[in-house]
């Protein structure tokens, strides 16, 4: 399979990191080898997978600016079948450093190329921006999963993201495709959430995953315990939803 998938949306708080962590855990539970790449300076995906971000010495930042080899950036997580390239607040500075570099949009692609065949899936958690790091990630990716929160304002920024994907596809990465939109923080009792689901489905049709991630307290609680929901409460609605999403992703790429 060997697929690189970016999880991107320039709007914050839509569930990118939650989806990255829990989709990785669900794929790993299905015996897929997964590498999580934390491309967000906040490093929430790293801490959410049990990594001590203060002690990490060889992160995505060091890999991007060429201070270490791609292989040296990879760390084991406490969870079977999941490795990680962790992040660090230093990644904020990489935006400026990359401006001076040759082929600056292709640094993540070059970093992941030697690693791709070692994993079934590489999942990249993007920061909530469309800066040069996110452009790098989209240049490296085969496809993009776009988490969409079930709130009205969540729909407003989608056109900007889709335009960015279109530009990158035409200029930097012709193979880039939209893997799918996934609705997050969904509550079927709320009319607004149902309206947004229908609107997204109407606009993007078969690009919308059938699986919807329902609002679930275990998804929030598990992060404070530095583990995916599947390892925190396997019977929780959130854990079950992400297992369904992983199954759908595997079937889509079979």
């Amino acid at each position: 399979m060997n697929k690189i998938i970016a999880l991107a949306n320039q709007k914050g708080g839509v569930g990118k990191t939650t989806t990255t962590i829990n989709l990785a855990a669900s794929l790993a539970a299905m015996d897929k080898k997964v590498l999580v790449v934390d491309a967000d300076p906040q490093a929430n995906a790293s801490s959410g997978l049990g990594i001590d971000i203060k002690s990490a010495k060889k992160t995505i930042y060091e890999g991007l600016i060429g201070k270490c080899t791609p292989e040296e950036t990879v760390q084991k997580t406490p969870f079977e079948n999941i490795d990680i390239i962790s992040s660090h607040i230093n990644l904020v500075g990489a935006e400026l450093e990359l401006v001076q570099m040759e082929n600056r949009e292709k640094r993540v692609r070059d970093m992941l190329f030697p690693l791709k065949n070692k994993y079934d899936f590489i999942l990249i958690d993007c920061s909530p921006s469309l800066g040069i790091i996110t452009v790098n990630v989209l240049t490296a990716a085969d496809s993009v999963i776009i988490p969409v929160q079930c709130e009205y304002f969540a729909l407003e920024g989608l056109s900007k993201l889709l335009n960015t994907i279109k530009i990158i596809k035409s200029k930097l990465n012709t193979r880039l495709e939209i893997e799918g939109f996934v609705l997050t923080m969904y509550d079927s009792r709320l009319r607004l959430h149902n309206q947004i689901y229908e609107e997204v489905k109407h606009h993007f049709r078969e690009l919308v995953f059938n699986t919807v991630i329902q609002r679930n307290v275990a998804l929030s609680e598990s992060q404070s315990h530095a583990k995916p929901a599947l390892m925190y409460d396997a019977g929780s609605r959130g854990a079950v939803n992400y297992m369904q999403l992983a199954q759908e992703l595997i079937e889509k790429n079979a």
Side-chain angles (χ1 to χ4, degrees):
M1 211 169 285
N2 308 117
K3 195 162 194 182
I4 300 175
I5 302 176
L7 288 97
N9 191 328
Q10 80 274 17
K11 189 176 188 309
V14 298
K16 284 188 300 295
T17 301
T18 300
T19 298
T20 304
I21 292 169
N22 288 286
L23 181 57
S26 299
L27 290 167
M30 295 176 181
D31 285 331
K32 301 298 179 188
K33 191 114 177 68
V34 184
L35 174 65
V36 171
V37 181
D38 191 348
D40 185 348
Q42 296 177 85
N44 290 334
S46 304
S47 51
L49 284 169
I51 301 298
D52 180 1
I53 56 176
K54 290 177 183 172
S55 66
K57 295 285 185 281
K58 293 176 180 174
T59 68
I60 186 172
Y61 170 74
E62 283 77 19
L64 277 178
I65 63 169
K67 279 191 174 178
C68 61
T69 66
E71 289 80 5
E72 286 175 323
T73 62
V74 177
Q75 291 177 258
K76 294 281 181 195
T77 71
F79 311 108
E80 193 177 356
N81 288 334
I82 307 176
D83 292 343
I84 190 167
I85 297 177
S86 65
S87 189
H88 192 275
I89 193 66
N90 287 349
L91 190 59
V92 173
E95 295 264 351
L96 295 172
E97 293 179 60
L98 286 172
V99 172
Q100 324 288 333
M101 293 184 177
E102 208 173 312
N103 286 330
R104 61 183 182 224
E105 299 91 355
K106 297 175 181 174
R107 303 290 294 186
V108 171
R109 188 193 71 178
D110 294 345
M111 195 171 104
L112 295 182
F113 183 75
L115 305 172
K116 188 174 182 181
N117 287 335
K118 297 179 182 178
Y119 297 94
D120 297 300
F121 291 96
I122 297 178
L123 303 181
I124 313 178
D125 184 30
C126 293
S127 64
S129 77
L130 293 176
I132 194 165
I133 301 290
T134 301
V135 168
N136 254 272
V137 169
L138 294 175
T139 302
D142 298 306
S143 64
V144 191
I145 289 176
I146 303 172
V148 180
Q149 185 185 1
C150 288
E151 299 290 347
Y152 174 72
F153 290 121
L155 298 175
E156 287 196 325
L158 281 182
S159 58
K160 195 172 180 183
L161 174 63
L162 294 173
N163 192 47
T164 301
I165 291 169
K166 189 177 174 183
I167 291 166
I168 288 169
K169 186 176 170 68
S170 67
K171 296 186 184 301
L172 293 166
N173 181 4
T174 53
R175 72 185 190 284
L176 184 64
E177 301 291 344
I178 293 174
E179 189 75 42
F181 295 82
V182 58
L183 276 294
T184 62
M185 307 178 206
Y186 175 76
D187 187 337
S188 60
R189 297 167 300 178
L190 299 179
R191 188 187 301 171
L192 174 65
H193 286 200
N194 290 308
Q195 285 173 345
I196 288 168
Y197 176 79
E198 292 303 328
E199 201 170 326
V200 173
K201 198 80 175 165
H202 173 72
H203 279 295
F204 301 110
R205 302 182 187 278
E206 70 281 353
L207 285 176
V208 182
F209 282 101
N210 293 322
T211 304
V212 173
I213 310 303
Q214 298 172 73
R215 196 181 289 278
N216 178 237
V217 70
L219 290 173
S220 304
E221 289 176 350
S222 63
Q223 291 173 9
S224 66
H225 290 81
K227 57 177 70 171
L230 192 62
M231 286 71 173
Y232 175 71
D233 181 359
S236 67
R237 188 178 289 170
V240 170
N241 286 164
Y242 278 110
M243 284 296 284
Q244 291 167 337
L245 182 64
Q247 186 64 49
E248 197 176 339
L249 182 63
I250 289 168
E251 286 170 5
K252 200 173 180 182
N253 288 281

